[in-house]
Amino acid sequence: MEDFLQALFLGTLQGLTEFLPISSSAHLRIFPELFGWGDPGAAFTAVIQIGTELAVLVYFRHDIWQIAKTWTLSLFKPEYRGHLDARMGWFVIIGSLPIVVLGIFLKETIESNFRNLWLIAVMLIVMGLVLGLADKLGGNEKRVKQMTIRDSVLMGAAQAAALIPGVSRSGATLSMGRCLGYERAAVTRFAFLLAIPAVVGAGIFQLNEIPTGDNMYGWGPTIFATVVSFVVGYAAIAWLLRYVSHHTLAPFVVYRVLLGAGVLALLAAGVLSA
């Protein structure tokens, strides 16, 4: 029962933080350690993120269907190749390559060195400041229809940095998108789509690690946490899309810096162990 209560908390935490630019993987590493539960494990973190990506698939099901359909048609019918949905399909595929390739080659490092709390705390602060500067100084005039292959590659490369907990997939993609001049709502929607192949792929890749790997929880709590993250994540998507249309990202920047500084202080005091 205790494992399921912890899974309820962690699934809720994952659903609340996955789409916000504050790093869900950092939260899943910090808070269990703070409560004395220990590290839930990289595989557990990767698998329950499938729940939030399923929420993306459901929320954007009409957009995703149009993109998939038009992209497939464009492979056989030249008249579809200039359509935005066909190009968006290529943008997501090409933009996903950096994190997929690096994720495979850095698997052992991701599961060990990258989960060090000193590193995570520093990344929360540094990438929080990067996010703040990008949002403040970046342009706001480009729309999704103006996206290019170059832009998708750059945002995909930024997303790959989120293999380090504390960076944040959405935060890194938003930072790069704002630097490239895209409006917040446009780059946020693209960040959602770009994350689907990477997160679902990573979760499936790590499935066999749940019963045998270095993880705190077995199949039951992991599946439960995944379902909870789906429900909470679905609500978080709608809220974030409304929020970024009318507000800056400054509150997230402040939160990241405060959380990172707090973790550094607790590590220095010996309250937390890295």
Side-chain angles (χ1 to χ4, degrees):
M1 181 59 70
E2 183 179 352
D3 282 355
F4 279 91
L5 289 175
Q6 292 178 10
L8 173 63
F9 175 83
L10 294 174
T12 302
L13 188 64
Q14 165 64 25
L16 289 173
T17 58
E18 171 65 24
F19 305 116
L20 305 183
I22 56 177
S23 182
S24 63
S25 54
H27 284 72
L28 291 175
R29 177 70 180 91
I30 292 168
F31 282 89
E33 196 71 44
L34 192 62
F35 297 149
W37 301 344
D39 185 354
F44 174 83
T45 300
V47 171
I48 70 168
Q49 287 175 342
I50 293 177
T52 43
E53 291 314 306
L54 289 176
V56 173
L57 290 172
V58 173
Y59 191 90
F60 291 106
R61 60 191 180 279
H62 298 301
D63 292 348
I64 293 171
W65 169 249
Q66 286 300 320
I67 290 170
K69 181 179 72 173
T70 308
W71 177 81
T72 302
L73 287 171
S74 74
L75 298 177
F76 307 99
K77 299 183 178 181
E79 62 267 26
Y80 284 92
R81 291 172 188 170
H83 196 284
L84 176 60
D85 286 335
R87 291 189 292 117
M88 187 60 66
W90 284 115
F91 294 156
V92 171
I93 292 170
I94 294 171
S96 298
L97 293 178
I99 197 170
V100 170
V101 173
L102 289 175
I104 292 172
F105 282 103
L106 296 175
K107 182 178 183 295
E108 291 186 7
T109 305
I110 292 167
E111 294 177 350
S112 55
N113 296 343
F114 282 0
R115 298 186 69 77
N116 183 281
L117 284 177
W118 288 102
L119 176 62
I120 292 172
V122 170
M123 287 296 100
L124 279 168
I125 296 171
V126 171
M127 294 306 296
L129 296 175
V130 169
L131 177 65
L133 287 172
D135 192 48
K136 184 176 179 62
L137 303 178
N140 199 42
E141 69 281 354
K142 294 173 73 173
R143 306 294 185 265
V144 170
K145 65 181 180 181
Q146 296 171 273
M147 189 171 293
T148 63
I149 290 290
R150 184 203 68 143
D151 292 348
S152 69
V153 170
L154 289 173
M155 284 189 269
Q159 178 186 241
L163 290 169
I164 304 174
V167 172
S168 168
R169 268 181 300 275
S170 60
T173 309
L174 274 167
S175 296
M176 181 59 74
R178 298 290 289 126
C179 287
L180 294 172
Y182 287 92
E183 62 172 352
R184 293 186 196 94
V187 74
T188 299
R189 291 177 73 90
F190 182 67
F192 286 154
L193 297 175
L194 187 62
I196 294 172
V199 176
V200 174
I204 294 173
F205 186 62
Q206 294 273 27
L207 280 175
N208 67 321
E209 297 282 339
I210 294 300
T212 60
D214 186 19
N215 296 286
M216 291 282 293
Y217 307 101
W219 277 116
T222 301
I223 292 172
F224 180 58
T226 303
V227 173
V228 172
S229 73
F230 166 81
V231 175
V232 178
Y234 188 87
I237 294 173
W239 178 85
L240 182 60
L241 286 174
R242 287 195 301 269
Y243 179 87
V244 297
S245 298
H246 306 288
H247 302 84
T248 72
L249 302 174
F252 303 119
V253 175
V254 173
Y255 174 78
R256 289 179 63 109
V257 172
L258 291 176
L259 178 61
V263 172
L264 288 177
L266 292 173
L267 287 168
V271 176
L272 290 178
S273 59

